[in-house]
Amino acid sequence: MTFLHTALFAAGAACVAIPILIHLLLRQRRKPIRWGAMRFLIEAYKKQRRKLKLQQLILLATRCLIVFLVAMALGRPLLEQAGLLGAGQGTTLYVLVDNGLASSARGTGESGDSSGLEQSKQAARDLLRELGPGDRAGLIALGGPAEPVVIPASADLSAIASLIDGLEPTASATDLSGALDLLGAHLASEAEGESAGARVVIAVMSEFLLGSADISRPLPESLAQIPNVSLVAMEPASASGTNVQIVGVEPLNQVVLTGTGGSSASVGRENVRVRLRRSGPGVSDAQVTQVRLRVSGGRDSRLLPGMQVVYRWQPGETEGAVTVQIDPASGSDNESGARSLDQRVLVAEIDRDTVDADNTFRRPIDVREALRVGVIARRRFGSVGGAIEDLQPGDWLRLALRPSFAAPIDVVEIDPGSIDAPTLASVDVAFAASPELIRETDWTRIAEFVERGGLLIVTPAPEAPVQLWSDAMSRELGLDWRIAREAQSPDGGSIGIDPRAGDSALLTLIRAEIEDLVRPVAVERYLPIESDVREADVVLRLADGTPWLVVGEPARADDTSGVDRGLVVYLASAPQWRWTNLQATSLMVPLVQELARQGFGRASGDWTSVAGRRIGAPERATQLAPVGVEQAPVDLDGSGRTMSPIRSAGLWEAIDEAGRVRGFVAVNADDQASRVQIQDPSSVRAWLSAAIGQAGSGAGDANGAGSGATFLDPDEPGAVFSAEQADSPLSVPLLIAALMLALAEVFMARWFSHAIAERSEGGPSLTESMGLAP
């Protein structure tokens, strides 16, 4: 049998000798003094000697048992752990180790060199050493999504300690909610089996920085209905360093077009915006951060020379951004495909600080010689000529797409009556200038083109009195738009464009000039969207607020890659004189160019992902191979995504069945997971307590024992098991039994001493009063 307080039990057990010593001392022989009536007493004693000895032994045993029961109650016997009760079930400990991104922060403990993860691992090992032979332990790594390393629990504690030693920090967020859900489901299934009634201790090993524990988001009450469960945790960190992280890398041009030849000189330098964030105690001070932006070219991890800028933080500033100019086509090896595709990766870096994994951010971009744009319109033979009033929307679009021979856009003519999959696969952007000529089956092919990452731009049919095509388009593309069937004319004959342009990224490069560009535009007819477009991106509106240029994403029956791909742009007025004078204004060319360039960049998908998720890959890829890291490739499932989450940051090559590289996929650190602000311990404790259905803010000792979750004492990690026995079901019964025996001992002592004697009517005789009457 084992005891919670072994020292108290040992001291109490030793006290059993006290009644025995007193009994022996009282039995010491004294020199007899004879007196007259002694003969009668001796004769009476000889007759009652066996009875008196038996009474003395009963009293002695009772007194020893009272002391022993009190000693056991103070020592708190662990009968379940010893296997004497509960079918041999001991304590089951589940260790939840935080190996999320914030756990890699340095400078949060007494030693400035060790990370939070190292301290969590040490605390976990110390707690494992407190378990006995009959106990079991399980292990869950909290680097998101939570990973059940050892579930169900195992009795091989040394193997679990080795697994704890091997845990490495991830670049993903800490997933305590997922771990509690997983553990709650497992314990609920065990509660119905042989493990019913077993005592369970859940230990959360984390420093509870803001990046690890966002206490504004309640934890699931997955353990509230599980009996015999308690939750303990490390004390939250009391200090942290200052951390600067890269939140994003945003090139102004999503797709870089080099023009014929693909030379660096024809591209010039591109502006790239690097967004920064800082957290920790140093936010109140001024600080300098050096930002380096380089281009990774080719199929290796070779970094080409880039630019370096300095960002100066002002006291109290937490968000910042710098703009860096680079040449994205530098170092091109011109390994182009059928469409002169040469993908590059922008790599932004800052100096080493508290958290290292968020100091690098990767962003793939496409560098192409030209963009191929298909114009779906009635075919015209010969060059565009004749009166300007005779030009149709398709003509105006061709002129705007390629205003000069040097423009890096190739225009492809697509006959509305012969739309097929190979034709659509050969273009990046499709302009539907004659939508009334597109058959319903062809809208299905166009929808497939958009879902693969294509851009569709649609304008109304200028000559059709009733626009019946809109129903098929909305249905096949899964759009929530309900486009009117008949065009409308504004009051007064014409209406202008609201100079307050929407905050769409499609017009980023011309936003500064948009007010001057839209001023001469007049709209005489438009085909409005009658349904609510709050979910859409309204780029431009008419002066009365009517959406005029709208961008939306198609609905997807299944998410094939995990990346938002495909885009639909709707211009409510056809570029034709009876509808608008847009085609004759200075807005036409930059608007069409930006819609094609920026729209395709958004439609083709941003192949960056956040660590901790299943990541998607470009079309026809079957594997992802890490770049610059000795690691086996990761297979993709039928949906084009990795079969398991990727928890580390890095760059991956998407490879098809033939071994060809289809593009790059970048995985970056979770920008919400590296916030290093410390948090109030009482708030953290209340947050944790809610997970087991307790308030966590009631009465208790200084450590919070007695209500909700408790914090581990690093000097006495085994005290957590002492807290588990605070309401021991055995201690109280033992004390009650000792009290009952004490009352029985008092009664027996008086009875055996004959202090209570049965009186006769004439009063007791001397021998009767002394208990010596025959």
Side-chain angles (χ1 to χ4, degrees), residues 561-633:
S561 65
V563 177
D564 291 335
R565 306 187 68 202
L567 204 66
V568 179
V569 178
Y570 175 65
L571 180 62
S573 295
Q576 203 253 9
W577 293 109
R578 287 190 296 272
W579 290 70
T580 179
N581 67 342
L582 168 67
Q583 58 277 8
T585 66
S586 56
L587 176 62
M588 181 65 176
V589 172
L591 178 63
V592 172
Q593 290 280 328
E594 291 308 302
L595 288 179
R597 298 184 188 211
Q598 302 293 350
F600 173 70
R602 178 173 163 183
S604 60
D606 176 11
W607 294 107
T608 60
S609 184
V610 177
R613 303 176 184 176
R614 294 173 58 202
I615 63 176
E619 192 178 7
R620 293 192 291 275
T622 59
Q623 281 187 334
L624 287 179
V627 175
V629 179
E630 292 294 333
Q631 182 179 340

Side-chain angles (χ1 to χ4, degrees), residues 704-716:
S707 177
T710 58
F711 291 136
L712 291 168
D713 184 349
D715 297 325
E716 297 183 11

Side-chain angles (χ1 to χ4, degrees), residues 1-4 72 76-91 132-135 199 725 730:
M1 181 184 299
T2 58
F3 292 87
L4 197 62
M72 288 187 67
R76 301 188 187 278
L78 301 177
L79 299 184
E80 294 92 343
Q81 185 172 0
L84 300 180
L85 293 177
Q89 297 173 2
T91 298
D135 298 329
R199 197 158 35 87
Q725 290 294 322
L730 291 177

Side-chain angles (χ1 to χ4, degrees), residues 392-421:
Q392 295 300 309
D395 301 326
W396 289 112
L397 290 174
R398 295 182 191 93
L399 293 173
L401 288 168
R402 196 171 176 83
S404 67
F405 290 106
I409 293 181
D410 295 335
V411 178
V412 179
E413 300 286 348
I414 300 179
D415 187 350
S418 59
I419 298 176
D420 54 25

